[in-house]
Amino acid sequence: YRQIQVGQVVAYGFGADGSSVDVQIFVEAPHHTKVTENAHFWNASGIEVSLNAQGLKVDTQSLISIASGGIAFELSRDIEPGAVAAPDATFRLYANRADILEKRYTIRTYWLLLFHESVRGLAVGAPVELFGIKVGEVVDLNLEFDTHNKRFQVPVLVAVEPERIRAADKAGALRLIERDPTTFMKVLVEERGLRAQLHSGNLLTGQLMVNMVFVPDAPKMTMAMRDDHWVVPTVPGSFQRLQESLTRIVAKLEQMPFDRIGSELEAVLAEARRTLTAASSLAGRLDQETAPQLNTTLVRLEQTLTELQAVANTNAPLPQQVGRTLEELFQTLRAVRELAETLENRPQSLIFGKKPSRDE
């Protein structure tokens, strides 16, 4: 009890019907009070090592039980311990502690899955999960040849325990399952697109599990009966889809003309080298021929601008002459304007002069 020795095995042998083994134990006082009606016993011999879809697990007991074997017991966590067990009380001996923690369900429904891919890594006892929660397990799998479609397939029989799924009306849900266990599954498969696929449960060991997924765009299918079991449709697993994608990519790569691409690439590289050589030669000519001429032109342009700036200076003779000419031009225009006004007002002035006569 909690890795402390509290008793010993006193006898063992076959049961009355010969189909079981009875083990008689004696628990010393005062530890016998810990053996209640709801206590659980399991085989604690040696070291328990398990490697499954949940990973690696190691469970050990005391050194004495490892060396010579032993039986351990503990009280249930979910229910009351109950009264102290009477002498000669009978208890079930579980194979290991994990079997005690595993919940027991009374209703099991069986469904058949037909896979057309490799199921390497899938074994009896592998979990069946829905949204990451275990709802059942694999109970049988075989290899068969479909004579109608001329291909191999693997029928996998799974047991689903509906009691693992909670419902608002649990009593009503259980009555529905007991009366017609296929109704709920048919709705999920035919209307919601429920499908079964293989999923990697442990990348280290390569173990597989059955994953129930909803595929909204899945083709509509009707559940059929085979070998007294309803068949749930399947879809390729993620690893299978990855293999198919890699196969398609490799096929496309094989169709690509790498030899022709390599030849064209060499031609392009050769043309690029010739273009670079020509560009280098042009740059040399620009540096040796065009650059000196351009420098000379710039010097001449600078001289011209200097001369224009000198001419534009207000103290220079040319601007002064231009100013006098413009002044005389303005005076001439003023005289013309006065003449035009006189002719408009007194056109007879052309004959009689500017001043009018008495008898005009």
Side-chain angles (χ1 to χ4, degrees), residues 110-126:
Y110 294 88
W111 310 93
L112 190 63
L113 315 175
L114 299 178
F115 290 103
H116 301 91
E117 57 185 296
S118 174
V119 296
R120 181 181 178 87
L122 186 67
V124 175

Side-chain angles (χ1 to χ4, degrees), residues 71-88:
I71 293 177
F73 73 96
E74 67 178 9
L75 303 179
S76 177
R77 301 177 181 178
D78 300 331
I79 58 178
E80 295 294 330
V84 178
D88 298 329

